[in-house]
Amino acid sequence: MFVLVEMVDTVRIPPWNFQSKLNEAISEELNKKLANKVVYNVGLCICLYDITKLEDSYIFPGDGASHTKVHFRYVVFHPFLDEILVGKIKYCSQEGVHVTMDFFDDILIPPESLQQPAKFDEAEQVWLWEYETDEGAHDLYMDQGEEIRFRVADELFVDTSPTGPATAAKETPAQPGQSTAPPAEERGEKKEPPYTLIGTICEPGLGLLSWWNS
Amino acid sequence: MYFPCFRKNANAAMLSNYEVFKLLTDLKEKRKDSGRNKHSVGQQNLNTITYETLKHLSNTPCSRQSPEIVKEFLTTMMPHKLTNRAEKLQLLNHRPQTAVEIQLMVEESEERLSEEQIEELIQTVSDILPGDPEQQNVAPAEAEMDEGGEQS
């Protein structure tokens, strides 16, 4: 679920923080920059693990702050492909079952990856598994708040950096239902999360924990 | 979303849930003591992610583990033919109690392990990794119970 990622960055420490120990000031800056943020193609950054190397600090003309190149390791949430994870059902929609792990919310289990046969109950807005037994079909509902075990099938990183005005002017107006990434965002339409996990529960043992506990 | 730093090694090492749990718990203690600026705007993100991650991890087996338990687990796992580091990690993080769960985490378990070996694995995991005290009172549906053995 978590990995250690080695990174290098230049940390700027403003003069009013010069009274703190360098390591502490740097840790604070790094956590301020990275904690709870998604790094493209890396994962969700949790917290600083350690500082492995500090290069010399420099002060540049016109800026009173010190700049230090830091080699460090950061704890990152980045489950590997096929990893088994346990989360809670946030809500269901036509797109599938949305799962949350408290600190990470953008997990989706699409309809084709649910235990089959699956049906979407429009009235209650919930997906259910039409489980066949000798006595007939049992409807197993995937209710909000239920704990769910799933396998990581895929991950999607989206570059959500701001785009320049030139891109926005060039594009043609988007038709409803058509999605184009950055311009759609600027129009205030559905924002894409920077990091999404696609899960599957189409295997014995996967799905609601209550389905498999004796 | 941040696009920064040059990334030296994207997967330098996998961390067990326990290691992250311990790191965050220690960090929380340290910040509680220093008090100074943990509520400043800049630290809000760290506070949020620490709180939420600890919240999630406290409901998992790692919250009941310790460095000694992890070490014992890894040592005992060695003869069990689990060559893949990721498999041992998942067993450590999830503490599976049924054959079905083992099959999810161990690749091609039907081919690599006999039924007996899977049972042995479940027993080892159960013995070494502490379980949820709330669930300990539920009698496990194992053959041993038929012999009239009492769980204390």
Side-chain angles (χ1 to χ4, degrees):
Chain A
M1 192 148 92
F2 299 103
V3 290
L4 217 49
V5 180
E6 290 172 3
M7 301 191 204
V8 185
D9 198 13
T10 304
V11 175
R12 179 183 179 273
I13 300 174
W16 47 91
N17 280 343
F18 281 177
Q19 82 286 357
S20 333
K21 287 211 185 66
L22 183 62
N23 283 43
E24 279 173 25
I26 288 186
S27 303
E28 213 179 285
E29 283 302 312
L30 287 175
N31 278 326
K32 212 196 287 190
K33 210 182 210 187
L34 293 173
N36 207 16
K37 303 238 173 79
V38 171
V39 173
Y40 187 62
N41 281 344
V42 173
L44 172 67
C45 294
I46 309 288
C47 71
L48 181 70
Y49 185 74
D50 64 2
I51 296 174
T52 50
K53 182 164 150 201
L54 280 178
E55 300 191 14
D56 291 333
S57 303
Y58 292 93
I59 296 185
F60 298 109
D63 183 2
S66 76
H67 296 80
T68 318
K69 193 157 170 193
V70 186
H71 299 244
F72 59 98
R73 293 187 290 186
Y74 218 85
V75 177
V76 176
F77 171 69
H78 187 197
F80 52 87
L81 189 63
D82 291 340
E83 184 169 355
I84 301 291
L85 296 176
V86 175
K88 288 210 173 86
I89 296 183
K90 201 162 72 164
Y91 66 95
C92 295
S93 75
Q94 294 284 7
E95 299 170 341
V97 178
H98 300 256
V99 178
T100 173
M101 289 175 73
D102 292 327
F103 62 96
F104 184 74
D105 264 7
D106 300 307
I107 303 170
L108 177 69
I109 305 177
E112 58 271 17
S113 306
L114 298 173
Q115 293 274 13
Q116 299 299 331
K119 204 172 74 160
F120 186 60
D121 185 331
E122 285 290 349
E124 305 201 23
Q125 289 287 299
V126 70
W127 279 97
L128 51 98
W129 180 20
E130 288 169 318
Y131 182 58
E132 294 281 335
T133 61
D134 301 325
E135 301 139 1
H138 263 316
D139 281 347
L140 296 172
Y141 282 78
M142 302 185 67
D143 294 319
Q144 227 179 41
E146 289 287 345
E147 285 193 286
I148 181 170
R149 187 185 293 129
F150 61 97
R151 191 190 284 284
V152 176
D154 200 3
E155 66 184 16
L156 277 168
F157 280 103
V158 173
D159 184 358
T160 57
S161 327
T163 53
T167 332
K170 248 195 284 182
E171 54 92 21
T172 51
Q175 299 298 326
Q178 228 177 59
S179 69
T180 46
E185 271 185 68
E186 273 155 17
R187 288 166 171 272
E189 283 170 30
K190 182 161 150 223
K191 269 207 203 126
E192 289 241 46
Y195 179 33
T196 312
L197 287 177
I198 307 292
T200 174
I201 56 167
C202 211
E203 261 177 80
L206 295 181
L208 266 61
L209 297 189
S210 57
W211 292 348
W212 302 98
N213 289 342
S214 45
Chain B
M1 177 68 196
Y2 197 73
F3 221 157
C5 0
F6 170 62
R7 180 175 95 241
K8 271 161 62 169
N9 186 341
N11 280 314
M14 289 196 283
L15 291 174
S16 64
N17 286 6
Y18 169 69
E19 288 169 273
V20 178
F21 180 75
K22 175 117 191 357
L23 188 70
L24 291 175
T25 310
D26 290 348
L27 184 67
K28 199 168 92 165
E29 278 307 308
K30 234 190 312 177
R31 282 154 63 71
K32 209 192 292 188
D33 296 337
S34 87
R36 189 171 50 101
N37 64 344
K38 76 179 157 76
H39 292 299
S40 76
V41 175
Q43 299 302 311
Q44 208 40 51
N45 273 321
L46 183 61
N47 290 346
T48 306
I49 193 79
T50 305
Y51 172 75
E52 298 285 3
T53 309
L54 280 176
K55 182 165 142 204
H56 173 87
L57 290 179
S58 0
N59 289 330
T60 69
C62 79
S63 59
R64 297 177 282 272
Q65 291 165 5
S66 71
E68 296 77 31
I69 292 178
V70 174
K71 200 155 107 179
E72 200 195 328
F73 178 77
L74 292 174
T75 320
T76 321
M77 276 296 131
M78 287 201 304
H80 280 270
K81 301 199 288 181
L82 293 175
T83 49
N84 195 331
R85 217 168 37 148
E87 290 170 349
K88 284 188 265 209
L89 186 63
Q90 292 200 87
L91 294 182
L92 178 64
N93 285 343
H94 288 272
R95 190 180 183 264
Q97 298 184 284
T98 61
V100 156
E101 287 169 77
I102 300 272
Q103 278 158 10
L104 286 174
M105 296 169 198
V106 176
E107 241 178 288
E108 300 188 359
S109 53
E110 305 96 59
E111 289 161 30
R112 287 159 60 191
L113 304 168
S114 68
E115 239 181 75
E116 250 173 43
Q117 287 171 319
I118 293 189
E119 276 306 312
E120 251 180 68
L121 202 50
I122 295 176
Q123 195 56 54
T124 310
V125 165
S126 246
D127 289 340
I128 299 185
L129 303 179
D132 187 348
E134 276 176 27
Q135 285 177 8
Q136 300 286 43
N137 297 327
V138 177
E142 283 184 40
E144 291 153 50
M145 287 308 285
D146 295 339
E147 285 160 19
E150 287 265 319
Q151 292 282 347
S152 56

